[in-house]
Amino acid sequence: MEDNRGYFLKSLEKDVFKEWGLDAEIYEDFESYSKKDVIRGMHFQTKNPQIKIVRAIKGTIHDVIVDLRKGSPAFGKYVDVILSEENHNSVWVPNGFAHGFEVLSEDAIVSYKCIGKYLKGYDTGIRWDDKKFAIQWKTKEPIVSEKDAAAMTFDEFVHEYKGL
């Protein structure tokens, strides 16, 4: 609800999520701050993959999820959505999917509510610019972490894990 004072937003209601078949307990809640042209991703866990509920608290992001589920008809395909402080939308990232985003505004604060425990030893990713995904990134000069730049390719993922 928005008015001349600002807005009031309920970002989570267990019963509404349950009606949609999204019944789970939040285990962790994170925020990240990133500057324009930052790309984070494509991240996932190989053991007990987490579910994530992602939204942009400040700014605008292009959010991307890739299906890594073994045997899925959408295996290796991606879905994307724009999340912003103006549209107040969230995206549910199911377990078995890689997740990433790029910052389109001058900066962004992104919230992640995670279902399932973070397991550092099983945290990994696939290169954000892997040609197999053909993700249509909007950023022309991406800023990427060393970890994300050195992530495995999709072919390496398929060879090593065969899917999640």
Side-chain angles (χ1 to χ4, degrees):
M1 169 181 9
E2 281 192 55
D3 61 26
N4 63 337
R5 301 168 297 160
Y7 73 88
F8 176 79
L9 172 74
K10 184 189 298 188
S11 64
L12 179 70
E13 184 176 349
K14 187 171 176 63
D15 291 341
V16 172
F17 275 50
K18 192 171 183 176
E19 287 174 20
W20 284 87
L22 309 172
D23 188 20
E25 296 291 326
I26 303 297
Y27 193 86
E28 298 176 313
D29 189 17
F30 297 99
E31 281 183 17
S32 69
Y33 170 81
S34 304
K35 297 176 181 177
K36 183 175 179 57
D37 297 331
V38 165
I39 295 180
R40 295 181 184 264
M42 301 297 298
H43 304 143
F44 60 95
Q45 279 185 185
T46 57
K47 180 178 179 181
N48 299 328
Q50 291 180 302
I51 296 168
K52 296 176 182 167
I53 304 166
V54 180
R55 75 182 184 97
I57 296 171
K58 178 183 181 211
T60 303
I61 64 169
H62 172 218
D63 200 84
V64 180
I65 61 173
V66 176
D67 190 343
L68 300 180
R69 298 171 300 164
K70 189 184 308 184
S72 168
F75 183 68
K77 305 259 188 289
Y78 78 93
V79 180
D80 59 349
V81 63
I82 299 296
L83 302 177
S84 72
E85 66 184 294
E86 286 85 19
N87 68 24
H88 305 295
N89 289 335
S90 297
V91 66
W92 178 280
V93 181
N95 60 5
F97 285 72
H99 174 259
F101 67 87
E102 67 181 313
V103 178
L104 303 178
S105 53
E106 286 307 307
D107 57 6
I109 297 174
V110 177
S111 166
Y112 312 75
K113 291 176 178 17
C114 297
I115 298 158
K117 184 177 174 86
Y118 173 72
L119 303 172
K120 185 176 182 175
Y122 298 95
D123 177 47
T124 190
I126 295 173
R127 285 187 54 92
W128 61 277
D129 59 348
D130 192 292
K131 301 290 187 232
K132 296 272 180 162
F133 298 150
I135 296 169
Q136 299 299 301
W137 297 107
K138 298 162 186 356
T139 301
K140 300 299 179 227
E141 296 183 35
I143 302 165
V144 181
S145 73
E146 288 181 26
K147 177 183 172 187
D148 289 351
M152 71 181 110
T153 65
F154 183 66
D155 286 342
E156 290 168 332
F157 166 76
V158 170
H159 177 75
E160 187 168 343
Y161 297 102
K162 316 279 189 269
L164 299 178

